[in-house]
């Protein structure tokens, strides 16, 4: 419907009224409310007229079909009214940074649409456009080396790039055909995609120009010669093969201005003092680390085996400066063969290698992604084909204090700090972890103590009373007996702690009702967090114990 | 055969039924109907005799009988069979196509061709020449092939800050989707995988309630990872969120919980106050409802449900006397005047004045003398209660006077001077509060009508005021001017007890809905502070006479001692600090502490409980 499309294109969303009852005529039933101003704003949109024209066009076309006037149909189709969304993009995102900030959904949607089949759900043009824009963006990310993080999830592959200081995250599905669901309204998605393609096109243009690249991207002429099929056989039609070659991601792009010789941009140094100097230092260090990260795979030559997902791996490797190739029959754009002796890493995803070539590592694809996330080339031993892979951790999680940190992450952090990897460090880290766990336990105990101390007091009093009653009774019945008292050492620290906790409890009693509610809520949240972290740690401990047991058993079996 | 053709035409012949003629002939003469004199018999005979009868028909136009010829019969038979009438007509003759698809050399028609078919059309020529002219002039151009691919350019080439719409400031950008955690990995650490119980719990949850919208799975290698079946749905849900979800700016509460705790002076700095349980007074076999301390602070009296009063020495916890009074003791009060040693006791429907017989003998005898010095007035006045001197055996146990109320008495309390005292009786609708003067043995009911159910009463410590607590409010009456001077709304459901600050400007009320209301009489008639320290109903509250302390006892078995400093400066509000939670009483019958009372001189507190003990905390 027209209002829905308008709302989507113009980015109008409902608002939550301040006084729901007042607005809703006294009822609290859930309803959506739009601002009156927004709706009036929609009425002034020139695109409304275009929509009306389109409606008229459809009516005329239907009539012409009904009367079988094919000439009229042709004429009408030729004069089909079209509209542009440029001004809406500009209006919604007045600055380029605004547009970049909102690029996440646009990219995810374009990548999804580009995987749709060319028949059925949507227009072929839309799908082709999405594919083109997605490939262009990928090429930009490669050219600018702005990819930062990759994550293989069960939903798809998450990428995070940093463009002009803005983190942009998008997800691409795994390359399988879609099982199209019935409960999805594709018209809504198509409207969104219409807007997103316009946005992404303009963003791509600007990004390419910021790097002095030609915008409808052209493959470097030198690379193009390499890419040309040698046998002279046409691989595809010219228009198609262009996009194909672009999407191979293996060639560099032509620049509008020839790049000056690897000009290193050095930050000017200003004489600064005190804290700012420290800040500058840390900034500088960060910058260096970033540069190093960008050149992670520089000088390495990869070869992708056939069963490996080509596009994501080629994209990631090229983003960090590596060279990559694949089997010629797999895709256009292969630059060297599997037998090339200069290959350093052979990515393979099958349990056994038939013919191993000396001088290269045979690795599982997870190594590439883990290395990128770790910002260093990880030791390869864990990633040989057929080996049980170490867990793949999310690079998007930054653990705060009190959160649960998986031991693999601790190991990784130690590696990044430059500690020597090996059995010792792993043991150490385990110990550390155990210590931490102990700490956690202590914390928990303390909390329990707070609750228990009251009970304890009661118990003590009860006991004293009982003793007294007994003694009074026994006074009558039995002769008085004096036993040597034991010296009770008073734990000063403990006493002090108890006193402090009691003071706190008394102060909590004096809180206002609202504050007390808030306080209790916050404390509840904190406790739940701790509980969850403890649960995870416990689970891990049990799992490790089970694993150890199994190992022992298998060892014994082997010995016997 | 003559020609008798009828000229009437094709009309219904019944029109001529009435007439003798049947129409007109060519000459205009009437044609008469033939004479039909045949009856049924003649008809029958004719039928039997005439062999031509079956082929004879009547001519409707003339009415004459006609005998059909052989040809006519044959024709009729053919028509009946559905055949053509003409015998010679052949319906199956071979058809000859005249206008056929074959082109003939000769024209079908003989019409000569028009002239205009030889000459080019002028109209068409005009049209064509117009088009040619238009093409020559460049008015008509060939249709350009349409290019559908969108054109992109540098949209943000000129970022004009003035062109930004004002509404853009109010725009709330949509929140980004949360980034995935470790659990979403295709190969997560083992602790993030769900156990079978957790998985079944996940499946039973509503989709909106689930913490994770997927089940974590572990795959051995990347090639084993399948497509995620809900990928398109999740994108679609995001789209719906973007254009259908109401957006609202919400300030995140970023508070350190430690900052919320009010900064109060430390209890250590507010000493002295009772901190530990020092003594337990045992002896009662049932709940101890009420206690009272002598003004010197040396003796303690307690009244219990087992029908006895016990008198204790405070310092040694020794029971000195036990006075059986025969019924449940609801309230005791020690005369605050140090020169008189007298106890007021509320027992069932009676109030007793009792000489405890402890301490200075001179004091005891002077008290007895004071009571006996009464002389009966000349004229008997009508009193709401009867004053009865005690019987001898009662006298021996210390009871001096008995006041028969006729209704259960719930509370007795003394005036500060020690002569007047008040009692509350449970008498809904009637007089509930009575004020007695012990020296003149005289009682009166001060209120004409009672404001609801009265919970407790109290004399003001320094001014001639009288405080009456009804269920929801506290009324303060001026006894001299005999008028209501203040009404305090307690914000509680049901007041249980009340105490007045020795300074006289502050009142605290305990209520059964576990609240304690502190009133500042100078400030307002509403509570200055409502304290919800206890977890269950408050039974009793008390002020210390010297130290800035007050305490409350509750059904949860605790006594909470608070610091309640009142400043003489009117601008400074009272400072309330909880100091100590005292425990020790054991709950029985769902009751905990029944009464709390401070020692008159020391910072000590007594509490009586439902477990039959009285405890002293020092």
């Amino acid at each position: 419907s027209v209002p829905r499309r308008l709302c989507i294109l113009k980015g109008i969303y409902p608002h939550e009224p301040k006084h729901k009852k007042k607005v809703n005529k006294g009822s609290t039933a859930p309803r959506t409310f739009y601002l009156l101003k927004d709706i009036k704003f929609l009425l002034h949109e020139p695109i409304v007229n275009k929509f009306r024209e389109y409606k008229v066009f459809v009516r005329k076309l239907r009539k012409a079909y009904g009367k079988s006037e094919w000439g009229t149909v042709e004429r009408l189709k030729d004069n089909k009214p079209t509209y542009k969304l440029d001004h809406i993009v500009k209006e919604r995102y007045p600055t380029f940074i605004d547009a970049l900030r909102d690029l996440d959904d646009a990219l995810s949607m374009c990548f999804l649409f580009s995987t749709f089949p060319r028949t059925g759900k949507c227009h072929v043009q839309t799908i082709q456009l999405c594919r083109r824009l997605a490939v262009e963006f990928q090429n930009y990310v490669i050219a600018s080396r702005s990819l930062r993080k990759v994550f293989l999830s069960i939903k798809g592959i998450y990428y995070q790039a940093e463009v002009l200081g803005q983190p942009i995250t998008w997800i691409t599905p795994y390359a399988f055909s879609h099982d199209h669901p019935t409960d999805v309204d594709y018209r809504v998605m198509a409207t969104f995609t219409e807007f997103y393609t316009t946005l992404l096109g303009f963003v791509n243009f600007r990004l390419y120009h910021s790097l002095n690249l030609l915008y409808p991207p052209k493959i470097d002429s030198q690379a193009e010669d390499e890419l040309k099929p040698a046998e002279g056989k046409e691989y595809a039609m010219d228009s198609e093969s262009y996009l194909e070659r672009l999407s191979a991601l293996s060639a560099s792009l032509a620049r509008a201005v020839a790049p000056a010789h690897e000009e290193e941009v050095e930050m000017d140094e200003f004489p600064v003092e005190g804290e700012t100097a420290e800040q500058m230092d840390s900034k500088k260090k960060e910058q260096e680390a970033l540069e190093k990260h960008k050149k992670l795979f520089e000088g390495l030559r990869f070869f992708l085996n056939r069963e490996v997902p080509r596009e994501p791996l080629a994209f990631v490797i090229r983003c960090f400066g590596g060279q990559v190739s694949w089997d010629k029959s797999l895709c256009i754009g292969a630059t060297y063969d599997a037998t090339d002796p200069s290959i350093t890493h052979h990515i393979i995803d099958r349990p056994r290698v038939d013919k191993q070539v000396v001088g290269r590592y045979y690795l599982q694809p997870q190594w590439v992604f883990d290395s990128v996330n770790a910002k260093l080339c990880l030791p390869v031993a864990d990633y040989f084909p057929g080996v049980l892979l170490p867990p793949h951790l999310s690079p998007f999680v930054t653990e705060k204090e009190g959160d649960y940190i998986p031991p693999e992450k601790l190991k990784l952090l130690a590696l990044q700090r430059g500690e020597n990897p090996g059995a010792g460090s792993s043991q150490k880290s385990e110990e550390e972890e155990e210590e931490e766990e102990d700490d956690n336990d202590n914390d928990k105990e303390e909390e329990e103590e707070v609750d228990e101390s009251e009970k304890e007091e009661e118990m003590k009093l009860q006991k004293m009373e009982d003793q007294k009653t007994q003694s009074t009774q026994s006074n009558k019945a039995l002769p008085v007996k004096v036993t040597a008292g034991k010296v009770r050492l008073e734990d000063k620290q403990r006493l002090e702690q108890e006193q402090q906790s009691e003071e706190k409890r008394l102060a909590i009693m004096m809180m206002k009702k609202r504050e007390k509610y808030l306080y209790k809520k916050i404390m509840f949240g904190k406790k739940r967090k701790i509980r969850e972290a403890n649960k995870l740690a416990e689970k891990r401990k049990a799992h490790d114990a089970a694993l150890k047991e199994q190992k022992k058993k298998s060892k014994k079996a082997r010995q016997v | 055969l003559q020609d008798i053709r009828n000229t009437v035409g094709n009309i219904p012949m019944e029109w001529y039924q009435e007439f003798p003629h049947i129409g007109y002939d060519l000459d205009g003469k009437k044609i008469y109907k033939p004479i039909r004199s045949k009856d049924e018999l003649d008809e029958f005979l004719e039928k039997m005799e005439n062999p031509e009868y079956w082929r004879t028909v009547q001519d409707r136009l003339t009415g004459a009988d006609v005998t059909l010829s052989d040809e006519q019969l044959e024709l009729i038979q053919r028509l009946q069979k559905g055949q053509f009438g003409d015998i010679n007509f052949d319906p199956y003759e071979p058809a000859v196509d005249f206008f056929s698809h074959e082109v003939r050399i000769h024209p079908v028609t003989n019409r000569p061709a028009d002239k205009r078919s030889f000459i080019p059309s002028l109209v068409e020529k005009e049209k064509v020449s117009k088009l040619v002219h238009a093409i020559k002039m460049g008015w008509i151009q060939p249709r350009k092939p349409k290019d559908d691919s969108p054109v992109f350019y540098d949209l943000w080439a000129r970022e004009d800050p003035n062109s930004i719409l004002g509404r853009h400031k109010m725009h709330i950008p949509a929140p980004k989707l949360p980034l995935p955690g470790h659990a979403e990995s295709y190969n997560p650490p083992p602790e993030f995988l769900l156990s079978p119980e957790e998985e079944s719990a996940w499946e039973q949850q509503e989709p909106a309630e689930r913490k994770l919208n997927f089940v974590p799975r572990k795959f051995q290698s990347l090639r084993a990872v399948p497509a995620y079946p809900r990928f398109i749905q999740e994108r679609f849900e995001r789209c719906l969120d973007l254009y259908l979800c109401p957006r609202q700016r919400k300030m995140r509460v970023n508070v350190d919980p430690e900052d919320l705790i009010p900064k109060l002076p430390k209890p250590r700095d507010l000493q002295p106050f009772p901190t530990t349980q020092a003594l337990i007074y045992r002896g009662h076999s049932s709940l101890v409802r009420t206690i009272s301390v002598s003004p010197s602070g040396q003796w303690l009296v307690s009244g219990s449900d087992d029908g006895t009063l016990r008198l204790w020495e405070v310092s040694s916890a020794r029971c000195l006397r036990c006075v059986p009074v025969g019924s449940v003791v609801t309230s005791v009060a020690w005369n605050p005047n140090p020169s008189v040693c007298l106890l007021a006791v509320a027992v069932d429907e009676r109030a007793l004045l009792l000489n405890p017989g402890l301490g200075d003998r001179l004091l005891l005898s002077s008290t007895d003398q004071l009571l006996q010095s009464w002389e009966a007035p000349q004229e008997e006045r009508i009193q709401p209660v009867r004053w009865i001197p005690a019987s001898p055996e009662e006298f021996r146990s210390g009871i001096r006077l008995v006041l028969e109320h006729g209704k259960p008495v719930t509370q007795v309390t003394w005036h500060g001077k020690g002569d007047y005292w008040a009692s509350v009786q449970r008498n809904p609708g009637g007089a509930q509060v009575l004020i007695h003067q012990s020296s003149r043995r005289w009682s009166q009911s001060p209120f004409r009508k009672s404001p609801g159910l009265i919970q407790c009463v109290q004399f003001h410590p320094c001014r001639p005021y009288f405080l009456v607590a009804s269920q929801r409010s506290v009324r303060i009456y001026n006894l001299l001017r005999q008028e209501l001077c203040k009404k305090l709304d307690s914000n509680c459901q049901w007041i249980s007890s009340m105490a007045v600050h020795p300074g006289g400007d502050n009142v605290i009320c305990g209520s059964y809905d576990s609240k304690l209301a502190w009133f500042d009489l100078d400030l307002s008639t509403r509570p200055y502070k409502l304290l919800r320290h206890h977890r269950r109903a408050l039974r009793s509250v008390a002020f210390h006479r010297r130290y800035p302390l007050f305490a409350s006892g509750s059904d949860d078995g605790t006594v909470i001692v608070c610091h309640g400093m009142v400043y003489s400066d009117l601008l400074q509000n009272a400072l309330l600090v909880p100091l100590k939670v005292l425990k020790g009483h054991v709950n029985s019958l769902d009751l905990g502490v029944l009464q709390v009372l401070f020692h008159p001189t020391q910072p000590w507190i007594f509490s009586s409980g439902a477990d039959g003990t009285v405890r002293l905390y020092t």
Side-chain angles (χ1 to χ4, degrees), chain A residues 128-295:
Chain A
Q128 274 169 348
L129 182 62
C130 282
R131 174 75 186 148
R132 187 190 126 194
L133 292 172
V135 167
E136 280 170 8
F137 187 78
Q138 276 185 330
N139 271 307
Y140 165 76
V141 172
I142 289 174
S144 65
R145 297 219 176 156
S146 48
L147 192 71
R148 295 286 172 271
K149 288 166 182 175
V150 197
F151 178 50
L152 299 167
S153 90
I154 55 172
K155 293 182 179 176
I157 305 175
Y158 287 89
Y159 299 95
Q160 189 172 55
E162 201 179 286
V163 180
L164 302 183
Q166 298 293 333
I168 296 174
T169 318
W170 73 94
I171 179 173
T172 62
Y174 287 115
F176 290 103
S177 64
H178 293 283
D179 184 11
H180 282 287
T182 49
D183 54 345
V184 164
D185 190 353
Y186 278 90
R187 285 170 303 173
V188 173
M189 300 244 281
T191 315
F192 268 102
T193 312
E194 202 179 347
F195 178 74
Y196 284 154
T197 48
T198 319
L199 170 67
L200 194 58
F202 285 117
V203 169
N204 274 350
F205 186 93
R206 173 97 179 199
L207 287 176
Y208 270 74
H209 277 253
S210 69
L211 283 189
N212 277 333
L213 295 167
L214 293 173
Y215 172 57
K218 283 213 174 75
I219 295 165
D220 213 0
S221 57
Q222 181 191 340
E224 201 166 10
D225 293 340
E226 284 175 21
L227 277 179
K228 274 226 169 118
E231 299 94 57
K233 244 194 273 175
E234 283 297 314
Y235 176 78
M237 280 201 299
D238 236 17
S239 58
E240 281 175 3
S241 73
Y242 157 71
L243 190 61
E244 289 279 318
R245 258 181 279 160
L246 204 60
S247 64
L249 302 172
S250 65
S252 53
L253 301 175
R255 285 175 190 268
V257 182
H261 292 284
E262 289 296 313
E263 209 174 308
E264 287 274 320
V265 182
E266 275 196 22
M267 282 212 292
D268 292 338
E269 281 187 23
F270 298 103
V272 278
E273 289 170 12
E275 282 181 34
T276 45
E278 274 175 27
Q279 278 180 4
M280 286 293 280
D281 266 7
S282 66
K283 226 177 225 177
K284 215 171 172 186
K285 245 177 213 173
E286 232 170 66
Q287 192 69 25
E288 275 169 15
L290 190 65
E291 285 301 318
K292 210 175 150 194
H293 187 205
K294 276 181 184 174
K295 291 173 184 168

Side-chain angles (χ1 to χ4, degrees), chain A residues 38 349 392 404 465 532, chain B residues 167 185 191 211 223 615:
Chain A
D38 284 350
D349 197 3
H392 179 61
Y404 171 72
E465 247 172 59
E532 268 163 20
Chain B
R167 69 198 311 285
S185 166
E191 62 268 31
K211 215 169 178 194
R223 70 171 187 280
R615 285 157 203 256

